[in-house]
Amino acid sequence: DLQLSQHYIVFLFLILVLWSMSMLEESVSLIHWWRVLLGSPAPGVEVYRSRAQKESCVEMSQIKIGYRMLNVLLNLGPRTGISAMILYSGTRYLIQSHTYEALIMNSLALAFLISIDEMIFAAFVPIRRKSWISSAGHLEAAPHSAI
């Protein structure tokens, strides 16, 4: 049975807002990486500085142009395209739901889809690597007018 009442439309709108907000986090992350890869390093940075001999003290502050291009071609470009396709397809998928039950189940399926990478990371990455990654600093880029 098709439910297109005013209450359903409002509920659909709220679900779409939540879906857009959940995808906004990924978009902000992508914009940050585009700034890092296309911009110049922030003032006063050094390349691969280590304060000690331990692996956890290595700081990376600049990326060579070859690695930037490789990262754009094999990581950031596809990740941006996949993110855009998931946003578009997920929105269409939610709009095509015609009952409350289908809308809730479809939104749960999409939430699972965008969080599966974090679940895999939590399940399969060793604890030492998790702590190393969580303690890593952010790469910063100098302000860029285009991004």
Side-chain angles (χ1 to χ4, degrees):
D1 59 308
L2 188 64
Q3 292 188 11
L4 292 178
S5 67
Q6 185 177 7
H7 294 289
Y8 179 78
I9 300 298
V10 170
F11 186 67
L12 174 62
F13 176 75
L14 291 174
I15 293 291
L16 288 172
V17 167
L18 290 173
W19 167 243
S20 300
M21 289 173 58
S22 67
M23 290 301 294
L24 181 65
E25 181 182 0
E26 177 69 11
S27 300
V28 168
S29 174
L30 287 171
I31 289 169
H32 174 77
W33 274 106
W34 278 109
R35 287 190 64 219
V36 166
L37 291 175
L38 296 180
S40 58
V45 297
E46 298 177 23
V47 180
Y48 299 111
R49 183 172 52 118
S50 176
R51 286 183 240 133
Q53 296 300 324
K54 295 190 308 183
E55 181 181 74
S56 61
C57 296
V58 174
E59 290 182 10
M60 187 174 89
S61 56
Q62 188 175 7
I63 304 171
K64 292 182 180 183
I65 190 70
Y67 291 123
R68 288 178 191 228
M69 293 301 119
L70 189 64
N71 198 336
V72 166
L73 289 174
L74 298 178
N75 178 23
L76 196 56
R79 185 174 159 192
T80 302
I82 290 170
S83 180
M85 287 188 318
I86 287 175
L87 177 62
Y88 175 75
S89 300
T91 302
R92 286 190 53 130
Y93 186 60
L94 290 172
I95 289 173
Q96 292 176 354
S97 304
H98 294 296
T99 65
Y100 287 104
E101 296 83 13
L103 185 58
I104 291 170
M105 293 303 289
N106 291 343
S107 63
L108 285 173
L110 289 172
F112 175 76
L113 178 69
I114 62 173
S115 64
I116 187 69
D117 59 332
E118 296 162 4
M119 289 183 221
I120 291 172
F121 176 81
F124 295 111
V125 174
I127 294 173
R128 181 175 175 191
R129 290 289 174 212
K130 287 179 193 173
S131 65
W132 185 62
I133 290 170
S134 67
S135 66
H138 294 286
L139 284 174
E140 295 295 330
H144 193 277
S145 61
I147 303 175

